[in-house]
Amino acid sequence: SNMLNFNKPAGYDEVQAGGEYTPIELGGHKLKVFKLEECTASNGNKYIKVYFDTAEDDKQPHYYDKQYKEDTRDTKKWGGVATLFPTDQQGKTSKTFKQFCTSIERSNNSKIQWGSGFEASIVNKYIGGIFGEEEYENSMGDVKTARKLFWWRSTDSIADAKVPEKRCLDKPAND
């Protein structure tokens, strides 16, 4: 009987098998912001949802787009979202918000426009992000680990960014 002689098709190693999941690499990534959404928290404070994907020249390009397209669940949601609170508990500018704005400016050699031009001065711009691991409890009460955007940085400072320490849930002492 003839042995089947079958060569590996192009791009075979890069394709995820159905249902497999490649986690985002920890550490620095080049991101692109594509949408801002203003929301109101239960206490009345306004905050911004930043929708982003990894840039076309990141080490994992278009990561969230691929993840979204391969998700077959009805409940699928865009994974690249971060919450940004412009002010802290005292109503002053939050450090994270300032970091976000200056990182946008440095990464794009641009200026944030306050007022009605704010969104337009950020959407489709590049920014760096540092990703780390964070523990959370799922609905069954099991502790799981997720990979999350921890910090905003300028794109020129992500190459040598260290992987952040894992954020762990505080377990009660009597556990």
Side-chain angles (χ1 to χ4, degrees):
S1 65
N2 283 348
M3 286 294 289
L4 181 64
N5 182 354
F6 193 80
N7 292 326
K8 189 190 280 190
Y12 178 87
D13 294 323
E14 286 72 52
V15 174
Q16 291 182 33
E20 278 188 45
Y21 171 72
T22 306
I24 194 156
E25 287 177 34
L26 297 171
H29 283 272
K30 184 177 179 182
L31 309 174
K32 190 175 192 178
V33 176
F34 65 87
K35 189 171 99 173
L36 298 180
E37 189 175 82
E38 192 178 42
C39 308
T40 307
S42 50
N43 63 4
N45 284 356
K46 291 210 181 305
Y47 66 94
I48 297 167
K49 272 187 177 172
V50 181
Y51 291 79
F52 58 86
D53 201 355
T54 52
E56 56 279 359
D57 55 351
D58 182 65
K59 58 191 167 190
Q60 287 177 292
H62 306 296
Y63 175 82
Y64 290 103
D65 188 46
K66 289 187 186 128
Q67 194 191 16
Y68 187 78
K69 286 187 174 124
E70 285 167 12
D71 190 344
T72 52
R73 298 169 302 178
D74 298 338
T75 56
K76 71 178 181 177
K77 291 203 281 280
W78 185 266
V81 186
T83 303
L84 198 55
F85 283 90
T87 52
D88 61 21
Q89 306 296 324
Q90 284 73 45
K92 302 260 194 308
T93 297
S94 77
K95 287 193 175 76
T96 306
F97 183 71
K98 180 77 186 252
Q99 184 77 51
F100 174 80
C101 292
T102 55
S103 298
I104 285 278
E105 290 180 331
R106 282 195 200 123
S107 303
N108 301 280
N109 197 16
S110 65
K111 282 271 174 260
I112 297 285
Q113 302 295 313
W114 302 108
S116 59
F118 180 74
E119 188 176 9
S121 67
I122 293 171
V123 168
N124 292 323
K125 297 280 196 292
Y126 295 103
I127 192 167
I130 312 291
F131 287 76
E133 287 188 308
E134 182 174 85
E135 287 183 346
Y136 68 97
E137 212 171 287
N138 70 6
S139 52
M140 313 294 283
D142 302 318
V143 174
K144 301 279 187 192
T145 301
R147 295 187 170 198
K148 286 230 164 105
L149 175 72
F150 276 25
W151 301 304
W152 303 107
R153 292 289 181 264
S154 59
T155 50
D156 59 10
S157 67
I158 53 175
D160 49 5
K162 298 209 179 1
V163 172
E165 254 181 67
K166 185 173 179 175
R167 291 177 184 164
C168 297
L169 289 173
D170 296 328
K171 295 307 280 170
N174 61 1
D175 217 25

